[in-house]
Amino acid sequence: MDRSEVVVKVRDLHKRFGELEVLKGIDMDVHRGEVVVIFGRSGSGKSTLLRCVNFLEDPTRGTIEVAGMALGGGHRTRRKREQIRSLRLHVGMVFQQFNLFPHMTALENVIEGPLTVKGSDPDQARGRGMELLARVGLATKADEYPIRLSGGQQQRVAIARALAMEPDVMLFDEPTSALDPELTGEVLAVMKSLATELHMTMMVVTHEMGFAREVGDHLAFFHEGLILEQGTPEQVFGNTRFQETKTFLEAVL
């Protein structure tokens, strides 16, 4: 694995919602196999960054490159819509809410993308889907519908569903914020295994600072639409430069 390879490159990223400028010029590189943890107060632009990387939101200005595919901000043309579809094949996303299809079993949720988007062979897709459910600890729940699963189990199915598309980078938007504390650990354990065993490239928005310290390779503290402070966990936790970062960490640790 080439850790020097940049999988996600963000340059001068701005995002406005009307008069409100949520992102004010973000520059970020995410390397192959790296776990980048993004943290900060609500409204600081963390989730908006992830949604721009996946083009769920169109950047107002700037460029985003994923797996060598670069797209700029501004309006969507037909060609750009096609480029966004191609880019999304390289990106898996896990949301706060699990967004599973309620009328599909766990396994059907996992294999839906490969079947409908990639045209995968059904038998191969099912086999791969069972492997992924086993990886997230849910091999015995393949035929259960989401309503029969706990929140933590649903989120683990959502992770398996994102992995099924074999993305170059996984985006996690506060994946444990909707979970009770006792269910949070099982989701974080799966995410840790993706990082340590699969060396998955990940961008994680979270308030789970224990995860950030243990698993993160690079941390970025967002403050009012900018990256105020960034570095290794040792630098950010042990040698905090800005009072805003210090105040935030004291509140969540």
Side-chain angles (χ1 to χ4, degrees):
M1 181 181 64
D2 183 6
R3 278 237 167 180
S4 66
E5 180 189 353
V6 178
V7 178
V8 179
K9 184 185 293 183
V10 178
R11 290 292 179 270
D12 192 33
L13 186 68
H14 293 253
K15 177 60 183 175
R16 281 186 173 277
F17 295 98
E19 292 298 305
L20 180 65
E21 189 173 26
V22 178
L23 297 176
K24 302 175 181 177
I26 300 295
D27 293 299
M28 180 180 283
D29 287 345
V30 182
H31 295 86
R32 175 77 62 191
E34 189 175 41
V35 178
V36 174
V37 176
I38 300 160
F39 67 106
R41 290 182 180 82
S42 297
S44 58
K46 313 179 301 295
S47 295
T48 300
L49 170 66
L50 290 196
R51 293 176 68 83
C52 285
V53 170
N54 203 18
F55 279 84
L56 292 171
E57 300 285 356
D58 283 294
T60 306
R61 194 169 93 227
T63 59
I64 291 169
E65 184 178 314
V66 178
M69 294 186 58
L71 282 174
H75 297 297
R76 291 193 184 192
T77 60
R78 178 180 293 179
R79 182 167 182 270
K80 187 176 178 183
R81 282 195 291 269
E82 292 170 356
Q83 290 173 318
I84 288 170
R85 277 197 291 273
S86 297
L87 180 144
R88 284 179 178 159
L89 292 174
H90 298 274
V91 181
M93 187 150 186
V94 178
F95 300 87
Q96 296 178 33
Q97 302 298 333
F98 325 122
N99 294 345
L100 298 179
F101 295 115
H103 62 289
M104 292 183 178
T105 64
L107 179 59
E108 288 167 344
N109 267 282
V110 171
I111 67 177
E112 175 68 9
L115 291 177
T116 59
V117 179
K118 289 190 167 182
S120 298
D121 174 79
D123 289 336
Q124 288 183 343
R126 287 182 67 85
R128 177 67 175 146
M130 287 302 299
E131 288 175 15
L132 289 170
L133 285 174
R135 165 156 283 286
V136 299
L138 293 173
T140 61
K141 302 291 186 181
D143 296 323
E144 296 284 4
Y145 288 90
I147 198 170
R148 297 282 302 258
L149 301 175
S150 71
Q153 290 170 335
Q154 289 186 57
Q155 191 62 296
R156 285 187 280 153
V157 173
I159 293 171
R161 177 180 61 181
L163 288 171
M165 294 298 287
E166 300 181 326
D168 286 281
V169 58
M170 287 277 283
L171 311 180
F172 292 87
D173 186 10
E174 300 197 36
T176 60
S177 65
L179 300 177
D180 295 332
E182 66 267 24
L183 301 178
T184 294
E186 64 189 49
V187 173
L188 293 176
V190 167
M191 293 169 62
K192 182 181 176 183
S193 78
L194 298 183
T196 58
E197 296 168 23
L198 295 186
H199 305 293
M200 193 80 214
T201 309
M202 295 158 63
M203 298 176 71
V204 183
V205 171
T206 186
H207 292 313
E208 298 290 339
M209 291 296 102
F211 175 86
R213 191 193 296 267
E214 187 179 359
V215 183
D217 297 299
H218 189 84
L219 275 53
F221 176 65
F222 272 51
H223 181 70
E224 296 181 354
L226 293 166
I227 299 175
L228 182 65
E229 186 155 4
Q230 59 183 318
T232 64
E234 292 77 16
Q235 290 167 331
V236 172
F237 287 111
N239 192 23
T240 312
R241 293 167 54 218
F242 293 92
Q243 185 59 46
E244 291 88 346
T245 319
K246 203 169 289 185
T247 302
F248 180 86
L249 289 174
E250 286 170 357
V252 298
L253 288 175

